[in-house]
Every structure is written in C-alpha cells, then in structure tokens.
Amino acid sequence: MKKNISTKMMLAMMAVICMCVTACGGNDDEDSPGGGGSTTVGVHRIDVQIDGKTNSNWVSAFTFYGLKPDGTFTGLYENGKALPIDPQFNTWSTEEIRDFSISTDKNAVAIVGGIVLGAPGGSKATEDVIITMVGYVNNNRVYTRVFTLPAGKSAIGISFSTDEGGKSGY
C-alpha cells in the first residue's frame, strides 16, 4: 500500500514538472494555425482522448491549470461544471483514466495539461495506447498532438498547452 501511494505521488510530481517545462520552456515548432502559440485572451480548452488497453490497475495522474494575462490562475470547467482547484498548486487533478474536455474562464491566455500514464507494477503495455490532445482558443483549434505509449514500454509523461503545443517522453 505504501509503495502504491509513493508511486502515485511521484507520478503527480512528474506531471507538475512536465507542465512547468511546457509553460516555461521554449518551443521552436511553428505548426499551429497562425504560426505559433496563442496569446489570445478567451476560453482555452484541452480535449483528451485515450485509445488502447488500460484498466483501473494502471497508475495515472492528469493535472490541468489555466492562466490569466496577469499570471494568476483561472477557474477550470468540465461540461460547464466548475472543477475543484487545489489551493496549494492551483491545479485540478485526477487519477481517473478517461476522456476529458477541460476549459478555462473566458479571460485566460493558456491552459496547460500534464499526463503521466503507467502500466501496473512496472509491467509493460501489451498494445499501443494512443493519447490525442487538442487545444482550442475560443472554439478554434490551435494544436493537435497525438502521443503513443508503444507496446513494450511501461510509462509516458506528456505536457500540452494551448500556448505551445505538446511534448512527451517515456
């Protein structure tokens, strides 16, 4: 039991680190409409779709936060329902493995999502797990990234934002 809790804590910390790299790091990719990240103030949204064989034994951490132009944090919503924000980290997190559509208040400049997904007990994925992340600003798509945890690998960490797109690693 103690090992499971420490593993989940480590995965949550990795998700936050991945998100900080995306929020603070540079990205030379210019493949979004308009040639780069968005600085548009409005409603920012990330849709996450997961395809492949996972189950409740998998270890996961899904963490999101939204930013206002002044650097403070926005509220987050799923299907119009406000999500509970962790007051210490200004994030919403879950370990539930499912599809998501998370959006910000109307006065945001970015939403950032971090995902860590791992096969149980250090085992390896038996088939590819495909994670598609799509970023929107005011209902206009700005980034689409497809990440793959290949069969034979045990974990993937992803960071994605409406400001810079996304990155991943095993």
Side-chain angles (χ1 to χ4, degrees), residues 19-168:
M19 291 182 347
C20 289
V21 168
T22 294
C24 302
N27 184 354
D28 294 332
D29 293 343
E30 299 289 331
D31 61 353
S32 70
S38 170
T39 56
T40 303
V41 175
V43 175
H44 288 243
R45 184 178 89 225
I46 294 177
D47 290 350
V48 179
Q49 180 182 1
I50 301 171
D51 294 311
K53 187 176 180 181
T54 63
N55 61 44
S56 61
N57 292 332
W58 280 58
V59 179
S60 63
F62 294 79
T63 304
F64 298 86
Y65 68 87
L67 292 171
K68 295 180 183 178
D70 65 1
T72 60
F73 298 92
T74 71
L76 296 175
Y77 304 87
E78 186 172 27
N79 300 321
K81 180 182 174 191
L83 296 170
I85 303 296
D86 180 302
Q88 184 175 3
F89 299 108
N90 297 301
T91 61
W92 175 76
S93 298
T94 184
E95 296 174 359
E96 187 178 2
I97 301 173
R98 62 178 175 84
D99 294 348
F100 295 95
S101 182
I102 308 297
S103 61
T104 65
D105 292 331
K106 64 183 177 185
N107 61 343
V109 293
I111 185 172
V112 180
I115 296 173
V116 177
L117 185 62
S123 63
K124 304 204 182 301
T126 57
E127 64 182 55
D128 288 357
V129 177
I130 309 297
I131 302 167
T132 304
M133 299 184 78
V134 182
Y136 297 88
V137 179
N138 296 322
N139 288 320
N140 296 309
R141 183 175 52 90
V142 293
Y143 285 107
T144 300
R145 297 284 195 269
V146 178
F147 304 97
T148 302
L149 171 60
K153 296 286 186 181
S154 59
I156 188 170
I158 299 169
S159 61
F160 183 88
S161 77
T162 54
D163 184 47
E164 294 185 347
K167 300 174 184 158
S168 70

